[in-house]
Amino acid sequence: MAFSSSSSSTTTPLRPVDHGGGIGISAVHPDIIQTHILTRLDGPSLASAACASSHLHELSTEEKLWRDICASTWPSIDHPRVRHVISSFPAGHRSFFSDSFPAVHHSSPPKDTDRPFLPSELISAVDVHYENELIFSKVQETRTETETAGWFLCTPFRVDLIDRKESVRTQIRQVGEEKAWLKQLEENLKLSWIVIDPTRKRAVNVSSGRPVSVQRHWFTGDIQLRYATIMAGEKSDFVQCAVVVTCGGKVGGKIHLREVSMLLEDMEGKHVKGRESLVILKAAMESGKRKKERRGEGKERFEAYLEMKKVRSERKQRRERAVDMAFILTGITIFVAFCSYLCFR
């Protein structure tokens, strides 16, 4: 038995500190744990609590807990179609959270590239927050297996959430000096883009969360934010799954969203076509590792990807210059030989 003491001049009765034999968590009523404790946890904390004991695991797998966490994290999933699809996941909202919450790291070459194994439909659930306030939320379904499937598979893959002639007004005001304003957007404009395969009951979040680049367009003056996740490609080494958000507006006025789109781009800067994009997204859903990144890690990976693109481009230019020089030398040789033939015949 241990005792605590006081350095004060006033005499304080010594109290024993109990090191064992206390009341365990199993003695607390389950309703109290679920209502007053587990409801205060976020997704990762709730998942950790489920690993602490079999008793907590049973309480932490309650569907309502995970449904509330998912709904507060991604308001877009309150869409009727998405709710129905998530209800068919193996463990409901718990499976959906496990697929969608951490950043995805996918570096293994895709498998099952045949058409019968590819998703026949993709659902995009997108949420944009500024300073933790929701400013844009939308669900869009993309059919990949229709009468025009051949057209989809052979054209560049792209999903647009806002029509080119429309825009979405926000309550964000463009204030302050230009550089500071762009930095503020980079820090506070967060985006989640979850791609769902309703047939195979899998999902993946393809957004980097925070922008990896923020710049003003040289021609239109609009601000373009890019959220990117680097994935293993089918043909090239890596591809960039990019979500582009374009914001317009005048200084001092409220900005509006003009573009929210998602596409895949290879290391040569070409847009990846529909079939290859489906292969890559399917592989990311099924084989990609979910990992919580430290702040700024996504931007570092994007910059490393840009450096790889630069090295690849320089190597290609050197090869092309070498081929051009070989053709020039061959042409000169043929010309000299022809002239010599004319002179000495």
Side-chain angles (χ1 to χ4, degrees):
M1 182 179 295
F3 297 90
S4 58
S5 61
S6 173
S7 60
S8 173
S9 58
T10 304
T11 303
T12 304
L14 302 179
R15 291 176 294 180
V17 178
D18 191 359
H19 287 290
I23 298 176
I25 189 69
S26 59
V28 182
H29 197 280
D31 289 345
I32 296 177
I33 297 177
Q34 285 188 328
T35 306
H36 299 284
I37 299 177
L38 298 183
T39 54
R40 299 175 182 270
L41 302 181
D42 59 11
S45 300
L46 185 59
S48 298
C51 300
S53 69
S54 58
H55 180 62
L56 281 178
H57 180 271
E58 182 180 355
L59 297 177
S60 300
T61 54
E62 175 65 33
E63 172 67 6
K64 185 179 184 304
L65 289 172
W66 289 101
R67 184 170 63 246
D68 292 344
I69 286 175
C70 289
S72 62
T73 307
W74 307 293
S76 60
I77 68 169
D78 194 41
H79 188 278
R81 176 74 199 285
V82 178
R83 286 204 309 267
H84 175 72
V85 170
I86 294 177
S87 67
S88 65
F89 274 49
H93 284 79
R94 184 160 58 96
S95 294
F96 180 78
F97 186 91
S98 177
D99 274 355
S100 307
F101 178 74
V104 64
H105 285 237
H106 175 52
S107 56
S108 303
K111 301 177 181 179
D112 296 334
T113 60
D114 294 336
R115 175 62 191 166
F117 297 98
L118 300 181
S120 59
E121 180 186 15
L122 295 177
I123 301 176
S124 297
V126 183
D127 298 286
V128 183
H129 290 81
Y130 181 75
E131 294 183 341
N132 298 322
E133 292 292 331
L134 184 68
I135 63 171
F136 179 79
S137 182
K138 187 171 182 178
V139 170
Q140 182 152 316
E141 302 174 34
T142 304
R143 295 291 302 176
T144 67
E145 194 176 65
T146 63
E147 305 80 35
T148 58
W151 173 85
F152 175 88
L153 297 176
C154 299
T155 55
F157 176 82
R158 181 185 176 100
V159 179
D160 287 289
L161 301 186
I162 301 177
D163 190 270
R164 294 184 181 275
K165 298 180 180 180
E166 298 177 354
S167 63
V168 177
R169 297 187 63 84
T170 72
Q171 297 301 313
I172 307 172
R173 290 190 178 276
Q174 183 176 343
V175 294
E177 188 266 334
E178 172 79 1
K179 188 175 181 180
W181 166 241
L182 296 182
K183 184 66 176 178
Q184 184 177 351
L185 284 178
E186 181 179 348
E187 292 292 328
N188 296 292
L189 196 65
K190 301 177 184 178
L191 179 143
S192 168
W193 189 305
I194 301 175
V195 179
I196 306 169
D197 181 350
T199 304
R200 291 174 176 79
K201 284 47 173 196
R202 296 305 302 265
V204 64
N205 198 332
V206 298
S207 172
S208 55
R210 285 187 170 86
V212 296
S213 71
V214 182
Q215 58 187 3
R216 192 175 290 278
H217 193 276
W218 66 273
F219 182 70
T220 63
D222 292 338
I223 299 173
Q224 289 188 334
L225 301 96
R226 179 174 290 253
Y227 304 76
T229 299
I230 310 304
M231 300 180 180
E234 182 184 16
K235 296 179 180 179
S236 61
D237 296 333
F238 292 97
V239 299
Q240 172 194 169
C241 183
V243 176
V244 179
V245 176
T246 302
C247 303
K250 299 180 180 180
V251 177
K254 296 179 180 180
I255 70 171
H256 48 273
L257 303 181
R258 291 183 174 171
E259 175 191 4
V260 180
S261 62
M262 187 261 286
L263 53 88
L264 274 72
E265 185 180 287
D266 64 19
M267 294 192 70
E268 294 183 355
K270 299 177 181 178
H271 290 186
V272 180
K273 294 183 178 180
R275 195 200 69 83
E276 186 179 353
S277 297
L278 292 179
V279 170
I280 295 168
L281 292 174
K282 175 180 177 291
M285 291 182 196
E286 298 178 351
S287 306
K289 296 180 179 179
R290 274 61 173 181
K291 174 186 174 184
K292 187 175 182 180
E293 295 182 335
R294 57 179 172 79
R295 186 161 183 167
E297 185 175 350
K299 187 173 183 179
E300 292 174 2
R301 295 179 66 216
F302 176 70
E303 291 173 348
Y305 170 79
L306 294 182
E307 185 62 29
M308 284 192 296
K309 282 185 62 176
K310 180 181 178 182
V311 172
R312 187 188 186 101
S313 176
E314 291 174 348
R315 189 185 303 124
K316 182 179 179 181
Q317 290 176 2
R318 286 196 297 269
R319 286 199 302 265
E320 290 176 347
R321 285 197 296 266
V323 172
D324 290 343
M325 184 60 67
F327 276 114
I328 292 172
L329 292 177
T330 301
I332 293 174
T333 302
I334 294 174
F335 178 75
V336 171
F338 180 72
C339 292
S340 300
Y341 171 75
L342 294 178
C343 293
F344 297 104
R345 67 174 180 171

